[in-house]
Amino acid sequence: MTNKPSLQLPKDFEQYRTIIEETMQPVIEINTTECKTSLYESKFEGNPYFPLTMKYPTNNEGQPLKLLAQINFADVPKHLPHFPIEGILQFYIDGYDDVLGMDFDNGQNPAGFRVIFHEQIIQDESQLMQDFSFVKLQGEELYFPVEKEMALSFEESFEPLMIDDFRSNEVYAAIQQQVEEDGELEDKFYETFSGTGHKMGGYPFFTQEDPRAYGDYTDSTILLLQIDSIGNDIMWGDCGVGNFFITEADLQRKDFSNVLYNWDCH
């Protein structure tokens, strides 16, 4: 794992350096390139790696879910604790649903989304599903946040606790008390600790509030994947963000059946 770099801070927050640096966590930043991908590659949208022996994920009406993202850990720097070091992790959501498969009452309800981990990868493509025409969404009323297939590349980094994370209210209490008295300083604080971008690990960004602050999700502390509204071809509602979270215990077991899925927008 890479040594933590020195944190660049605006001078206004230098007095809080010790508090902020203690929150530093590894993060994998994700960059996108619009292009066709193979069945095995890491991607947003496009066709998934999917063995013929498996049942393709569907919603409660039997309509197929659509691949949102695929991460092949052979491509990913070995930087995040407890994350797989090999295998393919996939995120599917319901493009037939106007809220994209999210359950507002139970963010872990997998009826409208699925996270699937393929630990053993089949190299013989004849054993893989090739035709995904049945997944294509038909009709003008249907919507999907990623509009074009994109290959992914990965960079390892570290980042401090971000302001939207529910834990920041306690950790950054002294800083927030100071910045509330100065509008310009408050803007700088939110800009410095925004948490935006595509990533795995690190800390999340929300346009509304952290769903983990309430109920049964406080243990879902690990950001499994965040896809932000960036560029012209990724848009969650009115410029929002999508996140998937998991508990450390589930991640260590490679159990992706209780992932928390959330997206919000302005």
Side-chain angles (χ1 to χ4, degrees), residues 53-220:
T53 53
M54 289 183 64
K55 185 178 185 301
Y56 191 86
T58 60
N59 63 17
N60 285 341
E61 286 71 49
Q63 296 165 314
L65 304 182
K66 184 171 172 59
L67 181 73
L68 174 68
Q70 173 169 293
I71 308 295
N72 188 330
F73 282 98
D75 305 333
V76 180
K78 311 305 183 254
H79 182 59
L80 300 175
H82 312 308
F83 274 64
I85 59 172
E86 58 187 3
I88 291 176
L89 186 64
Q90 299 170 329
F91 301 80
Y92 296 83
I93 61 174
D94 189 352
Y96 294 91
D97 179 21
D98 57 0
V99 293
L100 298 169
M102 186 175 76
D103 184 335
F104 291 96
D105 298 319
N106 177 9
Q108 292 171 315
N109 177 7
F113 81 99
R114 219 65 46 82
V115 180
I116 297 174
F117 183 53
H118 305 271
E119 189 161 12
Q120 305 297 327
I121 305 303
I122 299 168
Q123 300 300 329
D124 180 2
E125 288 198 30
S126 69
Q127 297 181 45
L128 304 179
M129 194 177 290
Q130 306 281 341
D131 182 5
F132 294 91
S133 57
F134 68 96
V135 181
K136 296 219 184 312
L137 305 179
Q138 306 295 332
E140 288 299 317
E141 76 281 0
L142 297 174
Y143 156 75
F144 200 73
V146 181
E147 296 182 3
K148 294 185 178 175
E149 182 176 355
M150 302 174 185
L152 308 182
S153 58
F154 305 96
E155 294 180 39
E156 57 189 78
S157 188
F158 288 86
E159 66 181 16
L161 178 64
M162 296 299 174
I163 191 63
D164 289 328
D165 190 293
F166 74 101
R167 294 163 289 186
S168 71
N169 291 329
E170 181 177 343
V171 177
Y172 288 161
I175 308 176
Q176 288 178 311
Q177 189 173 2
Q178 178 196 352
V179 303
E180 282 171 1
E181 301 168 4
D182 184 331
E184 188 176 328
L185 195 60
E186 187 172 28
D187 289 344
K188 187 181 292 186
F189 183 55
Y190 278 88
E191 182 180 328
T192 303
F193 302 98
S194 70
T196 56
H198 309 315
K199 61 174 118 172
M200 296 183 290
Y203 297 99
F205 160 66
F206 303 99
T207 62
Q208 301 295 328
E209 61 182 356
D210 190 338
R212 301 172 301 162
Y214 313 101
D216 303 322
Y217 311 136
T218 52
D219 288 342
S220 296

Side-chain angles (χ1 to χ4, degrees), residues 238-257:
D238 183 15
C239 206
V241 63
N243 329 83
F244 297 85
F245 300 93
I246 192 170
T247 68
E248 184 174 322
D250 280 347
L251 183 60
Q252 286 179 309
R253 290 193 297 265
K254 299 185 177 70
D255 178 0
F256 299 96
S257 61

